[in-house]
Amino acid sequence: MANSKFEYVKHFEQPDNLLPNTWVVVRIDGRGFTKFATKYAFEKPNDKRALDLMNAAARAVLADCQDITIAYGISDEYSFVFHKSTALFERRASKLVSTVVSTFTAYYIYLWSTYFPDTPLTTPLPSFDGRAVCYPSVQNLRDYMSWRQVDCHINNLYNTTFWALIQLGGTRAADKNEILFSRFSINYNNEPEMYKKGSVVFRDYELVEPGTHNVAQEIEGIVEPVQQSKTQTEKDKKRRSKARIVVEHLDIVGDDFWDRRPWLLSNTP
Ligand code: DGT
Ligand code: MG
Ligand code: MG
Ligand code: MG
Ligand code: MG
C-alpha cells in the first residue's frame, strides 16, 4: 500500500519502552480520594467496603494479566508488579500504565454496587492516576514493597490514634479511660489485619516447605523439570491460568512470605 503524505506524523510518536530485564511496578492511586471518601461517606479511618472493593478490582486485574506476579494495596493505591521478563506491549510504559489504570477503574465501577449496595455511584466518578517504575534487582523490588507496607503501618497507626483522640475530645472524662482502653493503643493489635498490613494479591500454589522441590517450583521453572515437553509447557501455562488468585493480609517486609512462595520472584516467568 502506498504511503500517504500524512504518514510522516507517526514519527512524532516517541518510544517509551522500559528497561529490559527489570521488575516493572505500575502504581495507581485514586484521584482526589480525600473528597471522594467524604462524598461517599467512607468510614474513618478505614472503610472495609472501600478496601474490599479495591482488592476485588486488583484481583480482576491479575486475572486479566498473566504477567503480573503480585500486587500490593493500601488506602486508595495499588502497586502491580510485572515479572522482569514481561514482553507485554513491548514493555511500553504508556501502554502498560494505561491498561492497568483503565482495567482497574472499569472493575472498580463495575463492582461498586456489590460493596456499596445502598450507595449509588454518581458524580464524582472514581478515577486513578498511574506510573511505571523499573526495579533492577529483587532486593530493590522487595525494598519497594517494604516501603509501601511500612507506609501502611505508619499511616494506619497515626489515623487510628487521630480518630480515637477526636472521639475522646467529645466525651465525658469518665468515658475517656474506657474508650482509650477499648478502642485505642492497647487494642491496636486487635485491629483487622487488612488495616494494619494492607492487602497482597497473588497466584496461589502449594506452600513450599524449606528444602523440598514441588510442582509449584517446577511450574515456575525454579527447578529444572525432567524433559519439559511442549505439551507439558502448555499444561503448565494452563495450570498457571487456573491458579487461584488470593487476597491476603500478610507481612511482606520479612523473608518468610517470599521464602514460602519462591515462584513469586523467581527468575523465570
Ligand atoms: P491525589 O492522590 O493527589 O489525587 O489526592 P488524594 O486526595 O487521593 O490523596 P492521597 O492519595 O494522598 O490519600 C488518599 C486519601 O483517601 C486520604 O485522604 C484518605 C482517603 N481514604 C483512603 N482510604 C480510605 C478509607 O478507607 N476511609 C476513609 N475515610 N478515607 C480513605
Ligand atoms: Mg496521588
Ligand atoms: Mg489518591
Ligand atoms: Mg493515595
Ligand atoms: Mg489498538
Side-chain angles (χ1 to χ4, degrees):
M1 205 194 290
N3 289 347
S4 84
K5 69 168 179 169
F6 304 116
E7 239 185 83
Y8 77 94
V9 295
K10 76 182 180 196
H11 297 300
F12 284 80
E13 199 171 323
Q14 296 294 300
D16 65 346
N17 313 73
L18 294 166
L19 197 66
N21 202 36
T22 53
W23 299 88
V24 176
V25 174
V26 173
R27 181 167 79 248
I28 62 149
D29 184 284
R31 290 177 58 216
F33 261 49
T34 308
K35 260 196 180 156
F36 187 80
T38 308
K39 154 89 192 199
Y40 292 100
F42 284 10
E43 279 163 37
K44 288 171 178 177
N46 296 296
D47 189 308
K48 179 169 159 46
R49 301 163 302 173
L51 295 171
D52 285 342
L53 173 57
M54 289 290 290
N55 295 345
R59 211 161 184 247
V61 172
L62 253 80
D64 190 68
C65 182
Q66 291 288 307
D67 290 25
I68 298 172
T69 300
I70 189 166
Y72 176 71
I74 49 167
S75 181
D76 68 338
E77 69 166 64
Y78 241 101
S79 299
F80 296 92
V81 181
F82 285 82
H83 193 271
K84 66 177 181 171
S85 71
T86 192
L88 190 61
F89 302 131
E90 294 154 14
R91 299 174 72 93
R92 287 168 63 185
S94 54
K95 285 213 165 204
L96 289 170
V97 171
S98 59
T99 302
V100 169
V101 164
S102 64
T103 307
F104 185 92
T105 309
Y107 277 104
Y108 189 97
I109 292 168
Y110 176 64
L111 295 167
W112 174 271
S113 63
T114 307
Y115 295 91
F116 289 90
D118 306 320
T119 315
L121 188 60
T122 58
T123 52
L125 288 167
S127 58
F128 294 83
D129 66 34
R131 71 196 70 181
V133 181
C134 295
Y135 295 98
S137 69
V138 164
Q139 190 57 55
N140 293 148
L141 179 68
R142 286 273 309 267
D143 288 346
Y144 171 81
M145 303 291 270
S146 299
W147 173 51
R148 295 326 299 142
Q149 190 164 53
V150 168
D151 219 50
C152 170
H153 173 72
I154 293 168
N155 288 333
N156 189 57
L157 191 59
Y158 175 84
N159 289 335
T160 309
T161 313
F162 181 81
W163 286 106
L165 287 173
I166 293 273
Q167 195 183 39
L168 280 177
T171 318
R172 288 186 307 120
D175 296 335
K176 284 189 164 94
N177 268 340
E178 165 57 20
I179 291 169
L180 256 187
F181 183 77
S182 62
R183 302 270 330 251
F184 194 37
S185 58
I186 295 161
N187 282 342
Y188 182 77
N189 279 339
N190 298 336
E191 281 277 292
E193 292 300 303
M194 178 161 69
Y195 303 168
K196 288 186 296 181
K197 296 206 171 68
S199 304
V200 201
V201 186
F202 55 95
R203 272 169 261 277
D204 201 21
Y205 302 101
E206 315 155 50
L207 282 181
V208 174
E209 291 305 325
T212 60
H213 149 212
N214 74 4
V215 182
Q217 287 173 301
E218 232 176 55
I219 295 168
E220 302 302 321
I222 297 161
V223 175
E224 212 52 55
V226 211
Q227 269 305 310
Q228 181 98 329
S229 67
K230 207 170 187 181
T231 46
Q232 186 60 40
T233 316
E234 281 305 305
K235 267 188 201 160
D236 291 349
K237 227 176 149 181
K238 207 165 172 184
R239 207 161 174 160
R240 188 176 158 77
S241 72
K242 279 187 176 166
R244 235 161 27 106
I245 297 170
V246 297
V247 181
E248 305 271 10
H249 315 290
L250 301 166
D251 176 86
I252 56 169
V253 176
D255 292 332
D256 189 61
F257 172 83
W258 306 99
D259 286 349
R260 290 166 68 87
R261 297 169 185 82
W263 60 88
L264 292 175
L265 300 180
S266 77
N267 269 326
T268 43

